Amino acid sequence: MGFRLLSVFRNNHIQSLLGNVISAFFNVLSFAILVRILPESAFGEWVMFIATYNVLDQIRTALLQSGLIKFYAGTDETTARSVCGAAWYVAVALTLIFLILNAGVLAIGWHYFNGTWQFFLLHLSLLLVLSLPFNFASWLLQARHQFDKIVHIRLLQNSTFLLLLIILHFSGNARITLILYAYAFALGAASLYCMLQRWTSLNTIWFRKKEQVKALFVYGRLIVGSMVTSGFIPYSDNFFIRTMINPAAVAIYSIPQKFMEVIEIILRSFVATAQPTLSAAVNRNDWPAVSKAFCRYTGAVTFLILPFIIGLIIFVQPLIIILAKKNYLGATPIVLIFLFSAILYPIDRFIGVTLDMINKPQLNFYKNLLKVSINVIGDLVFIWMFMDLRAVAAVSFLNLLAGVAFGYYFLKKQLQLSLKDILKEGWASCTLLLEKLPAKLQLVKKN
């Protein structure tokens, strides 16, 4: 019966969701520990450092992930090996560029950084190197639709960091320096595990071809702009809050961002399975299938997140106390603004993914550039006028609304779709999912 129960979860959507649930679960626990063991100012600095590392990691992911999936999935063994090798070549080259740039920033700006940031930047390169095999294996396994193995990787990385945090906490050694070493160790452990399992295919770097390297770079550079500008939105929020208010305010603003992890779990899971589906339809020149897939994914995820949004709104204050402490209850109105905005997350995300997959990444870049421009200008003006975190959250909603309007307008020029189609296909998908699940569970019970 146990094996039959597992068969219920042998579905790409479920396995992708499970991977993201595990990752988010451990991230929330780690967050809850960090927010309790670090002073607000130190925690704010940690949030800023991780955001800085994530920006660089997003550049690397943007340049390679979508391209690897696009050119690898569904190809013969020789082509797949060449694409994988080309991706490794670009990944190593880009990481070396990051290391050189980081060294330059340290050499030029050393005296302008405080002691904490001097330490952070000295170890930024270490994180970038240790995370590369772990990240590359995740991209490659996604291209192969092996989402169960991605679950293993995320479980190892996140649980290792959490375990080390608990040890540091109870041993009385919860210093920010040791926390960074714990984070680096967790990344290194996950990368080593991937290499031992041979999920990285590092040896394929010797089979790279110049044309594949060029194709990956040309395709990926367009997506880099989209992903970096998108990732720069929360980073700019934190930067201006830290600069114009104080680091402790960054810690408060991180609470609603962590609440959004619940929505991101569902979004990331469906995006991971939508990319290969959309790409395959585009490669067949089956544009009606592309439109249908966009409407199905967008509508289904919108309906799926509604109960979670309502539940989070109802229990917002108890959840803030569980996640952080009572002195973080001031984040309540900011959390509510984020939650009401979240209903637009699915359509915004899938517009971007679809534009990338139909070879229009420049439109996705313009969409995100519009959003980040509104965000930066809005943050500067609203913080200067009000000195209130609620104003920053309101700006985030405005840029999201503008991005959806811009992206939907241009996507409609490429595909035959409507808001009615999104709701219709999404509701049909949700209904089908709910009808199938009891039947599968009943089958397990009978056996």
Side-chain angles (χ1 to χ4, degrees):
M1 178 177 172
F3 288 108
R4 291 188 176 275
L5 181 60
L6 288 174
S7 71
V8 175
F9 297 95
R10 286 171 188 162
N11 172 281
N12 287 338
H13 296 299
I14 299 300
Q15 289 176 349
S16 180
L17 179 62
L18 180 61
N20 283 299
V21 166
I22 289 172
S23 180
F25 174 74
F26 283 105
N27 280 338
V28 167
L29 289 180
S30 300
F31 181 92
I33 293 174
L34 284 169
V35 82
R36 285 170 169 80
I37 63 178
L38 290 175
E40 281 189 10
S41 58
F43 181 66
E45 296 285 33
W46 172 259
V47 170
M48 277 299 301
F49 170 67
I50 291 299
T52 302
Y53 160 71
N54 284 337
V55 167
L56 296 178
D57 190 52
Q58 282 178 344
I59 293 174
R60 194 164 59 184
T61 300
L63 188 63
L64 292 165
Q65 183 185 37
S66 294
L68 184 60
I69 293 170
K70 180 176 177 62
F71 296 114
Y72 184 97
T75 59
D76 59 83
E77 185 177 347
T78 302
T79 302
R81 184 171 58 183
S82 175
V83 170
C84 188
W88 260 116
Y89 181 81
V90 176
V92 171
L94 182 61
T95 303
L96 288 174
I97 291 172
F98 283 161
L99 302 190
I100 294 169
L101 289 175
N102 186 52
V105 169
L106 275 171
I108 296 170
W110 178 263
H111 297 292
Y112 297 98
F113 297 114
N114 61 31
T116 301
W117 274 90
Q118 287 174 350
F119 174 78
F120 279 158
L121 292 175
L122 279 171
H123 294 82
L124 180 60
S125 296
L126 176 66
L127 296 189
L128 290 168
V129 172
L130 290 177
S131 63
L132 179 56
F134 154 67
N135 284 334
F136 196 96
S138 298
W139 308 331
L140 194 56
L141 292 170
Q142 184 182 346
R144 294 171 176 170
H145 288 263
Q146 295 176 322
F147 294 97
D148 56 328
K149 294 176 181 177
I150 297 177
V151 174
H152 299 164
I153 302 172
R154 288 178 174 168
L155 179 61
L156 174 63
Q157 191 261 324
N158 288 286
S159 62
T160 300
F161 182 52
L162 177 63
L163 178 62
L164 292 174
L165 277 182
I166 293 172
I167 292 172
L168 289 175
H169 176 49
F170 285 104
S171 64
N173 293 309
R175 301 190 301 273
I176 203 163
T177 52
L178 294 179
I179 289 171
L180 188 145
Y181 289 137
Y183 191 76
F185 182 86
L187 289 175
S191 288
L192 180 61
Y193 177 74
C194 292
M195 295 177 74
L196 292 175
Q197 293 292 330
R198 298 185 177 181
W199 292 342
T200 60
S201 298
L202 179 57
N203 63 308
T204 60
I205 196 171
W206 307 112
F207 300 95
R208 69 186 185 277
K209 292 182 180 179
K210 185 177 180 180
E211 57 269 25
Q212 293 288 2
V213 172
K214 183 178 179 181
L216 276 171
F217 180 78
V218 170
Y219 182 79
R221 70 182 181 183
L222 296 170
I223 297 177
V224 165
S226 300
M227 188 172 287
V228 170
T229 48
S230 178
F232 190 72
I233 292 171
Y235 186 81
S236 62
D237 286 341
N238 290 331
F239 177 81
F240 289 122
I241 291 170
R242 180 186 183 276
T243 305
M244 300 176 72
I245 305 179
N246 54 56
V250 176
I252 297 211
Y253 198 75
S254 69
I255 300 298
Q257 293 174 337
K258 188 55 63 174
F259 262 74
M260 291 303 102
E261 280 289 326
V262 176
I263 310 302
E264 286 292 334
I265 289 171
I266 304 172
L267 269 177
R268 286 194 297 262
S269 304
F270 280 85
V271 165
T273 56
Q275 284 179 313
T277 302
L278 289 164
S279 181
V282 171
N283 291 336
R284 297 193 309 267
N285 288 316
D286 190 350
W287 298 106
V290 175
S291 298
K292 186 172 183 178
F294 167 77
C295 293
R296 184 173 71 248
Y297 278 104
T298 303
V301 176
T302 301
F303 284 119
L304 285 172
I305 67 173
L306 270 175
F308 294 96
I309 292 174
I310 294 169
L312 290 171
I313 290 173
I314 293 172
F315 299 105
V316 61
Q317 291 197 337
L319 289 171
I320 289 176
I321 295 172
I322 293 171
L323 180 64
K325 295 178 289 186
K326 284 187 177 181
N327 55 319
Y328 282 87
L329 283 174
T332 301
I334 311 164
V335 174
L336 291 174
I337 293 172
F338 269 74
L339 288 173
F340 282 115
S341 303
I343 194 65
L344 295 177
Y345 279 23
I347 190 169
D348 180 62
R349 186 70 58 85
F350 284 108
I351 284 173
V353 170
T354 306
L355 287 172
D356 285 343
M357 292 297 106
I358 65 173
N359 296 316
K360 298 293 181 181
Q362 70 276 13
L363 292 176
N364 191 26
F365 170 69
Y366 297 146
K367 175 177 80 74
N368 288 323
L369 185 61
L370 173 66
K371 289 171 64 179
V372 79
S373 299
I374 293 172
N375 201 73
V376 169
I377 296 170
D379 281 352
L380 285 169
V381 174
F382 278 41
I383 293 176
W384 177 73
M385 290 177 62
F386 303 106
M387 294 296 290
D388 192 323
L389 294 179
R390 289 173 294 182
V392 182
V395 172
S396 295
F397 171 71
L398 292 176
N399 77 59
L400 178 63
L401 192 62
V404 169
F406 180 93
Y408 183 75
Y409 173 80
F410 282 99
L411 188 61
K412 268 185 71 71
K413 287 180 173 292
Q414 308 296 325
L415 301 173
Q416 293 292 325
L417 53 89
S418 67
L419 291 175
K420 182 180 178 181
D421 293 333
I422 293 173
L423 296 174
K424 181 181 176 182
E425 291 290 340
W427 182 252
S429 295
C430 288
T431 303
L432 185 62
L433 180 65
L434 292 173
E435 287 176 351
K436 283 185 175 181
L437 187 59
K440 287 186 177 182
L441 293 176
Q442 186 65 31
L443 181 62
V444 171
K445 186 177 180 180
K446 287 181 178 179
N447 291 277

